[in-house]
Amino acid sequence: SQTIHQWPATLVQPVGSPLSLECTVEGTSNPNLYWYRQAAGRGLQLLFYSVGIGQISSEVPQNLSASRPQDRQFILSSKKLLLSDSGFYLCAWSVLAGRYEQYFGPGTRLTVT
Amino acid sequence: RKEVEQDPGPFNVPEGATVAFNCTYSNSASQSFFWYRQDCRKEPKLLMSVYSSGNEDGRFTAQLNRASQYISLLIRDSKLSDSATYLCVVNDSWGKLQFGAGTQVVVTP
C-alpha cells in the first residue's frame, strides 16, 4: 500500500530564515505530487504541483519554491521566511493528475516568529 | 465568489442522531466531487467520492444536485468519533481540486 511521509512535523523558525520541508511517497511510481498550505479557518491553498521529476507548476506568486529531485520526493523551500508563511503545510499525491482524489501526508505545522 | 462554500458550523449533534449539511460550488462544469474528513490538527482524509446518482458508505450518504450546484453529506446514527471538520472538494475549470473551508461537526454524549 502507498504511504506518504512528511517531516518535520512541527517547525518554529524566525523571520528571514530559510526553510526546507520534505515529502516522500512509498509504494507507487510516478505519482502526481502537490504542496498545499492551510491557514487557520480557511480552505487548502494549492502552492505547487508536479507531474514528474523536475516538472514543477507554481500556483501562487510567493517567496516559496518547490523541487522534485527524485520520482517520489517533493521539497518545499524558501530562502527567507515571512510571518505570513506560517501555516499547516500538506503534501499530497494522486495516481492521476487534476480532478482526481488526492491523499495527504501528516503535514508540517510551521510557525514563523 | 468562492469556488466552494460551506457553513462553518459547528453542528452540535447528540450521539445517535442524524446530521446533514451542504456545500455549494460555483463552477457548473465541475465533474469531480469529494468529501474529506479532517480531525483537529491532522491531515484531511478522503471520506468518499460523490457520484451523480448519490451514494452511501455505511452511515454516510452523499448527494449531488447539479441544478442547484450543491452537494450534501448526511451522517446517520452519529458516533462520538464522527466529530471532525468535513471538507467539501470540487474540481475547478482548470481541473484542479478546490477545497472548502470545512463544516465542523461536534457529536455530544
Side-chain angles (χ1 to χ4, degrees), chain B residues 24-72:
Chain B
T24 58
Y25 61 94
S26 61
N27 181 13
S28 60
S30 292
Q31 297 174 282
S32 296
F33 308 89
F34 308 97
W35 284 105
Y36 279 71
R37 171 201 169 115
Q38 186 172 23
D39 292 304
C40 187
R41 302 180 71 81
K42 298 289 188 180
E43 75 274 24
K45 293 185 178 178
L46 179 64
L47 180 64
M48 60 196 301
S49 301
V50 185
Y51 303 120
S52 297
S53 56
N55 48 297
E56 277 189 18
D57 184 359
R59 297 181 293 105
F60 297 83
T61 301
Q63 296 280 355
L64 168 63
N65 186 315
R66 285 193 182 273
S68 300
Q69 292 182 213
Y70 73 86
I71 64 174
S72 64

Side-chain angles (χ1 to χ4, degrees), chain A residues 36 38 41-44 46 49 59 88 90 98-106 109, chain B residues 31-32 34 36 38 41-46 49 87 91 95-101:
Chain A
Y36 288 88
Q38 186 177 34
R42 302 184 67 176
L44 276 68
L46 180 62
Y49 69 93
E59 290 295 301
F88 191 35
L90 291 154
R99 61 178 182 86
Y100 301 96
E101 56 268 30
Q102 297 173 14
Y103 302 93
F104 288 85
R109 197 161 297 277
Chain B
Q31 297 174 282
S32 296
F34 308 97
Y36 279 71
Q38 186 172 23
R41 302 180 71 81
K42 298 289 188 180
E43 75 274 24
K45 293 185 178 178
L46 179 64
S49 301
L87 308 181
N91 72 286
K96 299 185 181 66
L97 298 186
Q98 294 292 332
F99 289 75

